Coordinates of all heavy atoms in Angstrom, one line a residue:
G28 N -14.4 11.6 1.4 CA -14.4 10.4 0.7 C -13.7 9.3 1.4 O -13.7 9.2 2.6
F29 N -13.1 8.4 0.6 CA -12.4 7.2 1.2 C -11.4 7.6 2.2 O -11.4 6.9 3.3 CB -11.7 6.5 0.0 CG -10.6 5.7 0.5 CD1 -10.8 4.4 1.1 CD2 -9.3 6.1 0.3 CE1 -9.7 3.7 1.6 CE2 -8.2 5.4 0.7 CZ -8.4 4.1 1.4
M30 N -10.5 8.5 2.0 CA -9.5 8.8 2.9 C -10.0 9.3 4.3 O -9.4 8.9 5.3 CB -8.5 9.8 2.3 CG -7.7 9.2 1.2 SD -6.6 10.4 0.3 CE -5.8 11.2 1.7
Q31 N -11.0 10.1 4.3 CA -11.6 10.5 5.6 C -12.2 9.4 6.3 O -12.0 9.2 7.5 CB -12.6 11.6 5.3 CG -13.1 12.2 6.6 CD -14.1 13.3 6.4 OE1 -14.3 13.8 5.3 NE2 -14.7 13.8 7.5
V32 N -12.9 8.6 5.7 CA -13.6 7.4 6.3 C -12.5 6.4 6.8 O -12.6 5.9 7.9 CB -14.6 6.7 5.4 CG1 -15.1 5.4 5.9 CG2 -15.7 7.6 5.0
A33 N -11.5 6.2 6.0 CA -10.4 5.3 6.4 C -9.7 5.8 7.6 O -9.4 5.1 8.5 CB -9.4 5.1 5.2
A34 N -9.4 7.1 7.6 CA -8.7 7.7 8.7 C -9.5 7.6 10.0 O -9.0 7.3 11.1 CB -8.4 9.2 8.4
E35 N -10.8 7.8 9.9 CA -11.7 7.7 11.1 C -11.7 6.3 11.6 O -11.6 6.1 12.9 CB -13.1 8.1 10.7 CG -13.3 9.6 10.5 CD -14.7 10.0 10.0 OE1 -15.6 9.1 9.9 OE2 -14.8 11.1 9.6
I36 N -11.8 5.3 10.8 CA -11.7 3.9 11.2 C -10.4 3.6 11.8 O -10.3 2.9 12.9 CB -12.0 2.9 10.0 CG1 -13.4 3.1 9.5 CG2 -11.7 1.5 10.3 CD1 -13.7 2.5 8.2
L37 N -9.3 4.0 11.2 CA -7.9 3.7 11.8 C -7.7 4.4 13.1 O -7.1 3.8 14.0 CB -6.9 4.1 10.8 CG -6.9 3.3 9.5 CD1 -6.0 4.0 8.4 CD2 -6.4 1.9 9.7
N38 N -8.2 5.6 13.2 CA -8.0 6.4 14.5 C -8.8 5.8 15.6 O -8.5 6.0 16.8 CB -8.3 7.9 14.2 CG -7.3 8.6 13.5 OD1 -6.1 8.3 13.5 ND2 -7.7 9.6 12.7
Q39 N -9.8 5.0 15.3 CA -10.6 4.3 16.3 C -10.1 2.9 16.6 O -10.8 2.1 17.3 CB -12.1 4.3 15.9 CG -12.7 5.7 15.8 CD -14.2 5.6 15.3 OE1 -14.7 4.6 15.0 NE2 -14.7 6.8 15.1
G40 N -9.0 2.6 16.0 CA -8.4 1.3 16.2 C -8.8 0.2 15.3 O -8.5 -1.0 15.5
G41 N -9.6 0.6 14.3 CA -10.1 -0.4 13.3 C -9.0 -0.7 12.2 O -7.9 -0.3 12.3
V42 N -9.4 -1.6 11.3 CA -8.6 -2.0 10.2 C -9.2 -1.7 8.9 O -10.4 -1.8 8.7 CB -8.4 -3.6 10.3 CG1 -7.6 -4.1 9.1 CG2 -7.7 -3.9 11.6
V43 N -8.4 -1.3 7.9 CA -8.9 -1.0 6.6 C -8.1 -1.8 5.6 O -6.9 -1.8 5.7 CB -8.7 0.5 6.3 CG1 -9.2 0.9 4.9 CG2 -9.5 1.4 7.3
C44 N -8.8 -2.4 4.7 CA -8.1 -3.2 3.6 C -8.1 -2.3 2.4 O -9.2 -1.8 2.0 CB -8.8 -4.5 3.3 SG -8.1 -5.4 1.9
V45 N -6.9 -2.0 1.8 CA -6.8 -1.1 0.6 C -6.1 -1.9 -0.5 O -5.1 -2.6 -0.3 CB -6.1 0.1 1.0 CG1 -5.9 1.0 -0.2 CG2 -6.7 0.9 2.1
F46 N -6.6 -1.7 -1.7 CA -5.9 -2.2 -2.9 C -5.2 -1.0 -3.5 O -5.8 -0.2 -4.2 CB -6.9 -2.8 -3.9 CG -7.5 -4.1 -3.3 CD1 -8.7 -4.0 -2.6 CD2 -6.9 -5.3 -3.5 CE1 -9.3 -5.1 -2.0 CE2 -7.5 -6.5 -3.0 CZ -8.7 -6.4 -2.2
P47 N -3.9 -0.8 -3.1 CA -3.2 0.4 -3.4 C -3.0 0.7 -4.9 O -2.7 1.9 -5.2 CB -1.9 0.3 -2.7 CG -1.7 -1.2 -2.6 CD -3.0 -1.8 -2.5
E48 N -3.1 -0.3 -5.8 CA -2.9 0.0 -7.2 C -4.1 0.7 -7.8 O -4.0 1.4 -8.8 CB -2.7 -1.3 -7.9 CG -1.4 -2.0 -7.5 CD -1.4 -3.4 -7.9 OE1 -2.1 -4.3 -7.4 OE2 -0.7 -3.7 -8.9
G49 N -5.3 0.6 -7.2 CA -6.5 1.3 -7.7 C -7.1 0.7 -8.9 O -8.2 1.1 -9.3
S50 N -6.5 -0.3 -9.6 CA -7.1 -1.0 -10.7 C -6.4 -2.3 -11.0 O -5.3 -2.6 -10.4 CB -7.0 -0.1 -12.0 OG -5.7 0.0 -12.3
L51 N -7.0 -3.1 -11.8 CA -6.4 -4.4 -12.1 C -5.5 -4.2 -13.3 O -5.8 -3.3 -14.2 CB -7.5 -5.4 -12.5 CG -8.4 -5.9 -11.4 CD1 -9.6 -6.7 -11.9 CD2 -7.6 -6.6 -10.4
P52 N -4.4 -4.9 -13.4 CA -3.5 -4.8 -14.5 C -4.1 -5.2 -15.8 O -4.9 -6.2 -15.9 CB -2.3 -5.6 -14.2 CG -2.8 -6.6 -13.2 CD -4.0 -6.0 -12.5
Q53 N -3.8 -4.5 -16.9 CA -4.2 -4.9 -18.2 C -3.2 -5.9 -18.7 O -2.1 -6.1 -18.2 CB -4.2 -3.6 -19.1 CG -5.2 -2.5 -18.7 CD -6.6 -3.0 -18.7 OE1 -7.1 -3.6 -19.7 NE2 -7.3 -2.7 -17.7
K54 N -3.6 -6.6 -19.8 CA -2.8 -7.6 -20.3 C -1.4 -7.0 -20.7 O -1.4 -6.0 -21.4 CB -3.5 -8.3 -21.6 CG -2.8 -9.5 -22.1 CD -3.6 -10.2 -23.1 CE -3.0 -11.5 -23.4 NZ -4.0 -12.4 -24.2
G55 N -0.3 -7.7 -20.3 CA 1.0 -7.2 -20.6 C 1.6 -6.2 -19.6 O 2.8 -6.0 -19.7
E56 N 0.8 -5.7 -18.7 CA 1.3 -4.8 -17.7 C 2.0 -5.6 -16.5 O 1.5 -6.6 -16.1 CB 0.2 -3.9 -17.0 CG -0.2 -2.8 -17.9 CD -1.2 -1.9 -17.1 OE1 -2.2 -2.5 -16.6 OE2 -1.0 -0.7 -17.1
S57 N 3.2 -5.1 -16.1 CA 3.8 -5.8 -15.0 C 3.2 -5.4 -13.7 O 2.6 -4.3 -13.5 CB 5.3 -5.5 -15.0 OG 5.5 -4.2 -14.8
T58 N 3.2 -6.3 -12.7 CA 2.6 -6.1 -11.4 C 3.7 -6.1 -10.3 O 4.7 -6.8 -10.5 CB 1.5 -7.1 -11.1 OG1 2.1 -8.4 -11.2 CG2 0.4 -7.0 -12.1
P59 N 3.4 -5.4 -9.2 CA 2.3 -4.6 -9.0 C 2.4 -3.3 -9.7 O 3.5 -2.8 -10.0 CB 2.3 -4.4 -7.5 CG 3.7 -4.5 -7.1 CD 4.3 -5.5 -8.0
L60 N 1.2 -2.7 -10.1 CA 1.2 -1.4 -10.7 C 1.6 -0.4 -9.7 O 1.7 -0.6 -8.5 CB -0.3 -1.1 -11.1 CG -0.9 -2.1 -12.1 CD1 -2.4 -1.7 -12.3 CD2 -0.2 -2.0 -13.5
P61 N 1.9 0.9 -10.1 CA 2.3 1.9 -9.2 C 1.2 2.1 -8.2 O 0.0 2.0 -8.5 CB 2.4 3.1 -10.1 CG 2.8 2.6 -11.4 CD 2.0 1.3 -11.5
F62 N 1.5 2.4 -7.0 CA 0.5 2.6 -5.9 C 0.0 4.1 -5.9 O 0.7 5.0 -6.2 CB 1.2 2.4 -4.5 CG 1.4 1.0 -4.2 CD1 1.3 0.0 -5.1 CD2 1.7 0.6 -2.9 CE1 1.5 -1.4 -4.8 CE2 1.9 -0.7 -2.5 CZ 1.8 -1.7 -3.5
S63 N -1.3 4.2 -5.6 CA -1.9 5.5 -5.4 C -1.3 6.2 -4.2 O -1.1 5.5 -3.2 CB -3.4 5.3 -5.2 OG -4.0 6.5 -4.7
P64 N -1.1 7.5 -4.3 CA -0.5 8.2 -3.1 C -1.4 8.2 -1.9 O -1.0 8.5 -0.8 CB -0.2 9.6 -3.7 CG -0.9 9.7 -4.9 CD -1.2 8.3 -5.4
S65 N -2.7 7.9 -2.1 CA -3.7 8.0 -1.0 C -3.4 7.1 0.1 O -3.6 7.3 1.3 CB -5.1 7.8 -1.5 OG -5.2 6.5 -2.1
V66 N -2.8 5.9 -0.2 CA -2.4 4.9 0.8 C -1.3 5.5 1.7 O -1.4 5.5 2.9 CB -1.9 3.6 0.2 CG1 -1.5 2.6 1.2 CG2 -3.1 3.0 -0.6
A67 N -0.3 6.1 1.1 CA 0.8 6.7 1.9 C 0.3 7.9 2.7 O 0.7 8.0 3.8 CB 2.0 7.1 0.9
L68 N -0.5 8.7 2.1 CA -1.0 9.9 2.7 C -1.9 9.5 4.0 O -1.7 10.0 5.0 CB -1.9 10.7 1.8 CG -2.4 12.0 2.3 CD1 -1.3 12.9 2.7 CD2 -3.3 12.7 1.2
T69 N -2.7 8.5 3.8 CA -3.5 8.0 4.9 C -2.7 7.4 6.0 O -2.9 7.7 7.2 CB -4.6 7.0 4.5 OG1 -5.4 7.5 3.4 CG2 -5.4 6.5 5.6
A70 N -1.6 6.6 5.7 CA -0.7 6.1 6.7 C 0.0 7.1 7.4 O 0.2 7.1 8.6 CB 0.2 5.1 6.0
L71 N 0.5 8.2 6.7 CA 1.2 9.2 7.4 C 0.3 10.1 8.2 O 0.7 10.5 9.3 CB 1.9 10.1 6.3 CG 3.1 9.4 5.5 CD1 3.5 10.3 4.4 CD2 4.2 9.1 6.5
Q72 N -0.9 10.4 7.8 CA -1.8 11.2 8.6 C -2.3 10.5 9.9 O -2.5 11.2 10.9 CB -3.0 11.6 7.7 CG -2.6 12.7 6.7 CD -3.8 13.1 5.9 OE1 -4.8 12.4 5.8 NE2 -3.7 14.2 5.2
T73 N -2.4 9.2 9.8 CA -2.9 8.5 11.0 C -1.8 7.9 11.8 O -2.0 7.5 13.0 CB -3.9 7.4 10.6 OG1 -3.1 6.4 9.7 CG2 -5.1 7.9 9.8
G74 N -0.6 7.7 11.3 CA 0.5 7.1 12.0 C 0.3 5.6 12.1 O 1.0 4.9 12.9
C75 N -0.6 5.0 11.4 CA -0.9 3.6 11.5 C 0.2 2.7 10.9 O 1.0 3.2 10.1 CB -2.3 3.3 10.9 SG -2.3 3.4 9.1
E76 N 0.1 1.4 11.3 CA 1.0 0.4 10.6 C 0.3 0.0 9.3 O -0.9 0.1 9.2 CB 1.2 -0.8 11.5 CG 2.0 -0.6 12.7 CD 2.2 -1.8 13.5 OE1 1.3 -2.7 13.5 OE2 3.2 -1.9 14.2
V77 N 1.2 -0.4 8.4 CA 0.7 -1.0 7.1 C 1.2 -2.4 7.1 O 2.4 -2.7 7.3 CB 1.2 -0.2 5.9 CG1 0.8 -0.9 4.6 CG2 0.7 1.2 6.0
I78 N 0.3 -3.4 6.8 CA 0.7 -4.8 6.6 C 0.7 -5.1 5.1 O -0.4 -5.1 4.5 CB -0.2 -5.7 7.4 CG1 -0.1 -5.4 8.9 CG2 0.2 -7.2 7.2 CD1 -1.1 -6.1 9.8
P79 N 1.9 -5.3 4.5 CA 1.9 -5.6 3.1 C 1.4 -7.0 2.8 O 1.8 -7.9 3.5 CB 3.4 -5.4 2.7 CG 4.1 -5.7 4.0 CD 3.2 -5.3 5.1
V80 N 0.5 -7.0 1.8 CA -0.1 -8.3 1.4 C 0.1 -8.4 -0.1 O -0.2 -7.4 -0.8 CB -1.5 -8.4 1.8 CG1 -2.1 -9.7 1.3 CG2 -1.7 -8.3 3.3
Y81 N 0.6 -9.5 -0.6 CA 0.7 -9.8 -2.0 C -0.2 -11.0 -2.4 O -0.2 -12.0 -1.8 CB 2.1 -10.0 -2.4 CG 2.3 -10.4 -3.9 CD1 2.3 -9.4 -4.9 CD2 2.4 -11.7 -4.3 CE1 2.4 -9.8 -6.2 CE2 2.5 -12.1 -5.6 CZ 2.5 -11.1 -6.6 OH 2.6 -11.4 -7.9
S82 N -0.9 -10.8 -3.5 CA -1.7 -11.9 -4.1 C -1.2 -12.1 -5.5 O -1.0 -11.1 -6.2 CB -3.2 -11.5 -4.1 OG -3.9 -12.4 -4.9
D83 N -1.1 -13.3 -6.0 CA -0.6 -13.6 -7.3 C -1.8 -13.4 -8.4 O -1.6 -13.5 -9.5 CB 0.0 -14.9 -7.5 CG -0.9 -16.1 -7.3 OD1 -2.2 -15.9 -7.2 OD2 -0.4 -17.2 -7.3
G84 N -3.0 -13.0 -7.9 CA -4.1 -12.7 -8.8 C -4.7 -13.9 -9.5 O -5.5 -13.7 -10.4
N85 N -4.4 -15.1 -9.0 CA -5.0 -16.3 -9.7 C -6.4 -16.5 -9.0 O -6.6 -17.4 -8.3 CB -4.1 -17.5 -9.5 CG -4.5 -18.6 -10.3 OD1 -5.3 -18.5 -11.2 ND2 -4.0 -19.8 -10.0
Y86 N -7.4 -15.7 -9.4 CA -8.7 -15.7 -8.8 C -9.7 -16.6 -9.5 O -10.6 -17.2 -9.0 CB -9.3 -14.3 -8.6 CG -8.5 -13.3 -7.9 CD1 -8.0 -12.2 -8.5 CD2 -8.1 -13.5 -6.6 CE1 -7.3 -11.3 -7.9 CE2 -7.3 -12.6 -5.9 CZ -6.9 -11.5 -6.6 OH -6.2 -10.6 -5.9
F87 N -9.5 -16.6 -10.8 CA -10.6 -17.1 -11.7 C -10.3 -18.4 -12.4 O -11.2 -19.0 -13.0 CB -11.0 -16.1 -12.7 CG -11.3 -14.8 -12.1 CD1 -10.5 -13.7 -12.3 CD2 -12.5 -14.6 -11.3 CE1 -10.8 -12.5 -11.7 CE2 -12.8 -13.4 -10.7 CZ -11.9 -12.3 -10.9
G88 N -9.1 -18.9 -12.3 CA -8.7 -20.2 -13.0 C -8.9 -21.3 -12.0 O -9.4 -21.3 -10.9
K89 N -8.4 -22.5 -12.5 CA -8.5 -23.7 -11.7 C -7.4 -23.7 -10.6 O -7.5 -24.5 -9.7 CB -8.4 -24.9 -12.6 CG -9.6 -25.1 -13.5 CD -9.5 -26.4 -14.3 CE -10.8 -26.5 -15.1 NZ -10.8 -27.8 -15.8
G90 N -6.3 -22.9 -10.8 CA -5.3 -22.9 -9.8 C -5.7 -22.2 -8.6 O -6.7 -21.6 -8.5
R91 N -4.8 -22.3 -7.6 CA -5.1 -21.6 -6.3 C -4.4 -20.2 -6.3 O -3.4 -20.0 -6.9 CB -4.5 -22.4 -5.1 CG -5.2 -23.7 -4.9 CD -4.6 -24.4 -3.7 NE -5.5 -25.4 -3.3 CZ -6.1 -25.4 -2.1 NH1 -5.9 -24.4 -1.3 NH2 -7.0 -26.3 -1.8
N92 N -5.1 -19.3 -5.6 CA -4.6 -18.0 -5.4 C -3.5 -18.1 -4.3 O -3.8 -18.7 -3.2 CB -5.7 -17.0 -5.0 CG -5.2 -15.6 -4.8 OD1 -4.3 -15.2 -5.5 ND2 -5.8 -14.9 -3.9
H93 N -2.4 -17.5 -4.5 CA -1.3 -17.5 -3.5 C -1.2 -16.1 -2.8 O -1.1 -15.1 -3.6 CB 0.0 -17.9 -4.1 CG 0.0 -19.3 -4.6 ND1 -0.3 -19.6 -5.9 CD2 0.2 -20.5 -4.0 CE1 -0.3 -20.9 -6.1 NE2 0.0 -21.5 -5.0
V94 N -1.2 -16.1 -1.5 CA -1.1 -14.8 -0.8 C 0.1 -14.9 0.2 O 0.3 -15.8 0.8 CB -2.4 -14.6 0.0 CG1 -2.3 -13.3 0.8 CG2 -3.6 -14.5 -0.9
M95 N 0.8 -13.8 0.2 CA 1.9 -13.6 1.1 C 1.7 -12.4 2.0 O 1.4 -11.3 1.4 CB 3.3 -13.6 0.4 CG 3.5 -14.8 -0.4 SD 5.1 -15.1 -1.2 CE 5.8 -13.5 -1.5
I96 N 1.9 -12.5 3.3 CA 1.7 -11.4 4.2 C 3.0 -11.1 4.9 O 3.7 -12.0 5.4 CB 0.6 -11.8 5.2 CG1 -0.7 -12.2 4.5 CG2 0.4 -10.7 6.3 CD1 -1.7 -12.8 5.4
G97 N 3.4 -9.8 4.8 CA 4.6 -9.4 5.3 C 4.5 -8.9 6.8 O 3.4 -8.8 7.3
A98 N 5.6 -8.5 7.3 CA 5.6 -7.9 8.7 C 5.1 -6.5 8.6 O 5.2 -5.8 7.6 CB 7.1 -7.9 9.2
P99 N 4.5 -6.0 9.7 CA 3.9 -4.7 9.8 C 5.0 -3.6 9.5 O 6.2 -3.8 10.0 CB 3.4 -4.5 11.2 CG 3.1 -5.9 11.6 CD 4.2 -6.8 10.9
L100 N 4.7 -2.6 8.8 CA 5.6 -1.5 8.5 C 5.0 -0.2 9.1 O 3.8 0.0 9.3 CB 5.6 -1.2 7.0 CG 6.0 -2.5 6.1 CD1 5.7 -2.2 4.7 CD2 7.4 -2.9 6.4
R101 N 5.9 0.7 9.5 CA 5.5 2.0 10.1 C 6.0 3.2 9.2 O 7.1 3.7 9.4 CB 6.1 2.1 11.5 CG 5.6 1.1 12.4 CD 5.3 1.5 13.8 NE 4.7 2.7 14.1 CZ 3.4 2.9 14.4 NH1 2.6 1.9 14.5 NH2 3.0 4.1 14.7
P102 N 5.2 3.5 8.2 CA 5.6 4.6 7.3 C 6.0 5.9 7.9 O 6.8 6.7 7.4 CB 4.5 4.7 6.3 CG 3.8 3.3 6.4 CD 4.0 2.9 7.8
C103 N 5.4 6.2 9.1 CA 5.6 7.5 9.7 C 7.1 7.6 10.1 O 7.6 8.7 10.3 CB 4.7 7.7 10.9 SG 4.8 6.5 12.2
T104 N 7.8 6.5 10.3 CA 9.2 6.5 10.6 C 10.1 6.7 9.4 O 11.3 6.9 9.6 CB 9.6 5.2 11.3 OG1 9.5 4.1 10.4 CG2 8.8 4.9 12.6
W105 N 9.6 6.8 8.2 CA 10.3 7.0 7.0 C 10.4 8.4 6.6 O 11.1 8.7 5.6 CB 9.7 6.2 5.9 CG 9.6 4.7 6.1 CD1 10.3 4.0 7.0 CD2 8.8 3.8 5.4 NE1 9.9 2.6 6.9 CE2 9.0 2.5 6.0 CE3 7.9 3.9 4.4 CZ2 8.3 1.4 5.5 CZ3 7.2 2.8 3.9 CH2 7.4 1.5 4.5
I106 N 9.8 9.3 7.3 CA 9.8 10.7 7.0 C 11.3 11.3 7.1 O 11.9 11.1 8.1 CB 8.9 11.5 7.9 CG1 7.4 11.0 7.7 CG2 9.0 13.0 7.7 CD1 6.4 11.6 8.6
R107 N 11.7 12.0 6.1 CA 13.0 12.6 6.1 C 12.8 14.2 6.1 O 12.0 14.7 5.4 CB 13.8 12.3 4.8 CG 14.1 10.8 4.8 CD 15.0 10.4 3.6 NE 15.4 11.5 2.7 CZ 15.6 11.3 1.4 NH1 15.5 10.1 0.9 NH2 15.9 12.3 0.6
P108 N 13.4 14.8 7.1 CA 13.2 16.3 7.2 C 13.7 17.1 6.0 O 13.2 18.2 5.9 CB 14.1 16.6 8.5 CG 15.0 15.5 8.7 CD 14.4 14.3 8.0
D109 N 14.5 16.5 5.2 CA 15.0 17.3 4.0 C 14.1 17.2 2.8 O 14.3 17.8 1.8 CB 16.4 16.9 3.7 CG 16.5 15.4 3.3 OD1 15.8 14.6 3.9 OD2 17.3 15.1 2.4
E110 N 13.0 16.4 2.9 CA 12.1 16.2 1.8 C 10.9 17.1 2.0 O 10.4 17.3 3.1 CB 11.6 14.8 1.7 CG 12.5 13.8 0.9 CD 11.8 12.5 0.7 OE1 11.1 12.0 1.6 OE2 12.0 11.9 -0.4
S111 N 10.3 17.5 0.8 CA 9.0 18.2 0.9 C 7.9 17.2 1.2 O 8.1 16.0 1.1 CB 8.7 18.9 -0.4 OG 8.5 17.9 -1.4
Y112 N 6.8 17.7 1.6 CA 5.7 16.8 1.9 C 5.2 16.0 0.7 O 5.0 14.8 0.9 CB 4.5 17.6 2.5 CG 3.4 16.8 3.1 CD1 3.7 16.0 4.2 CD2 2.1 16.7 2.6 CE1 2.7 15.3 4.8 CE2 1.2 15.9 3.1 CZ 1.4 15.2 4.3 OH 0.5 14.4 4.8
S113 N 5.2 16.6 -0.4 CA 4.8 15.8 -1.6 C 5.8 14.8 -2.0 O 5.5 13.7 -2.4 CB 4.5 16.8 -2.8 OG 5.6 17.5 -3.1
D114 N 7.1 15.1 -1.8 CA 8.2 14.1 -2.1 C 8.1 13.0 -1.1 O 8.3 11.8 -1.4 CB 9.5 14.8 -2.0 CG 9.8 15.6 -3.3 OD1 9.1 15.4 -4.3 OD2 10.7 16.5 -3.2
T115 N 7.8 13.3 0.2 CA 7.6 12.3 1.2 C 6.5 11.3 0.9 O 6.7 10.1 1.0 CB 7.4 12.9 2.6 OG1 8.5 13.7 3.0 CG2 7.1 11.9 3.7
I116 N 5.4 11.8 0.4 CA 4.3 11.0 0.1 C 4.7 10.0 -1.1 O 4.4 8.8 -1.0 CB 3.0 11.8 -0.3 CG1 2.5 12.5 0.9 CG2 2.0 10.9 -0.9 CD1 1.5 13.6 0.6
R117 N 5.4 10.6 -2.1 CA 5.8 9.7 -3.2 C 6.9 8.7 -2.7 O 6.8 7.5 -3.1 CB 6.4 10.6 -4.3 CG 7.0 9.9 -5.5 CD 6.2 8.8 -6.2 NE 4.8 9.2 -6.4 CZ 3.8 8.3 -6.4 NH1 4.0 7.0 -6.3 NH2 2.6 8.7 -6.5
T118 N 7.8 9.1 -1.9 CA 8.8 8.2 -1.3 C 8.2 7.1 -0.5 O 8.5 5.9 -0.7 CB 9.8 9.0 -0.4 OG1 10.5 9.9 -1.2 CG2 10.8 8.0 0.2
V119 N 7.2 7.4 0.3 CA 6.5 6.4 1.1 C 5.7 5.5 0.2 O 5.7 4.2 0.4 CB 5.6 7.1 2.2 CG1 4.7 6.0 2.9 CG2 6.5 7.8 3.3
S120 N 5.0 6.0 -0.7 CA 4.2 5.2 -1.6 C 5.1 4.2 -2.4 O 4.8 3.0 -2.5 CB 3.5 6.1 -2.6 OG 2.7 5.4 -3.5
D121 N 6.3 4.7 -2.9 CA 7.2 3.8 -3.6 C 7.8 2.8 -2.7 O 8.0 1.6 -3.1 CB 8.3 4.7 -4.2 CG 7.9 5.5 -5.4 OD1 6.7 5.3 -5.9 OD2 8.6 6.5 -5.8
R122 N 8.1 3.2 -1.5 CA 8.7 2.2 -0.5 C 7.7 1.1 -0.2 O 8.0 -0.1 0.0 CB 9.2 2.9 0.7 CG 10.0 1.9 1.6 CD 10.9 2.6 2.6 NE 11.4 1.6 3.5 CZ 12.0 2.0 4.6 NH1 12.2 3.2 4.9 NH2 12.5 1.0 5.4
L123 N 6.4 1.5 0.0 CA 5.4 0.5 0.3 C 5.3 -0.5 -0.8 O 5.2 -1.7 -0.6 CB 4.0 1.2 0.5 CG 3.9 1.9 1.9 CD1 2.6 2.7 1.8 CD2 3.9 1.0 3.0
R124 N 5.3 0.0 -2.1 CA 5.3 -0.9 -3.2 C 6.5 -1.8 -3.2 O 6.4 -3.0 -3.5 CB 5.2 -0.1 -4.5 CG 5.1 -0.9 -5.8 CD 5.0 0.0 -7.0 NE 4.8 -0.8 -8.2 CZ 5.9 -1.3 -8.9 NH1 7.1 -1.0 -8.6 NH2 5.7 -2.0 -10.0
E125 N 7.7 -1.3 -3.0 CA 8.9 -2.1 -2.9 C 8.8 -3.2 -1.8 O 9.3 -4.3 -2.0 CB 10.1 -1.2 -2.6 CG 10.5 -0.3 -3.8 CD 11.5 0.8 -3.4 OE1 12.1 0.7 -2.3 OE2 11.7 1.7 -4.2
E126 N 8.2 -2.8 -0.7 CA 8.0 -3.8 0.4 C 7.1 -5.0 -0.1 O 7.3 -6.1 0.3 CB 7.5 -3.2 1.7 CG 8.6 -2.3 2.3 CD 9.8 -3.1 2.9 OE1 9.6 -4.3 3.3 OE2 10.9 -2.5 2.9
V127 N 6.1 -4.6 -0.8 CA 5.2 -5.7 -1.3 C 5.9 -6.6 -2.3 O 5.8 -7.8 -2.2 CB 3.9 -5.1 -1.9 CG1 3.1 -6.1 -2.7 CG2 3.0 -4.4 -0.9
I128 N 6.7 -6.0 -3.1 CA 7.5 -6.7 -4.1 C 8.5 -7.7 -3.4 O 8.6 -8.8 -3.7 CB 8.2 -5.8 -5.1 CG1 7.2 -5.1 -6.0 CG2 9.2 -6.6 -5.9 CD1 7.7 -4.0 -6.8
R129 N 9.1 -7.1 -2.4 CA 10.1 -7.9 -1.6 C 9.4 -9.1 -0.9 O 9.8 -10.2 -0.9 CB 10.8 -7.0 -0.6 CG 11.9 -7.7 0.1 CD 12.7 -6.7 1.0 NE 11.9 -6.2 2.1 CZ 11.6 -6.9 3.3 NH1 12.1 -8.1 3.4 NH2 10.9 -6.4 4.2

């Protein structure tokens, strides 16, 4: 599925745009929503950089959409030897979300 195709593109030097939340927020939900672990898993498996991008979601009104682009991140450097693989994926996913918020 998505992860295999994304990994192939990344391993060939390509770029993949991912919306890590997996859905749009419902009315009253705070953003960003929790990230899908597939983003962290793909980044760890490929060793690729992740460029955090934040959009304020103002797509449909008369106002302008504001986008902020952060510095590239290397999630493969965040691996801790004392963590299980599943804990590492959750830690990386949470840290990616924190970086987008920052």
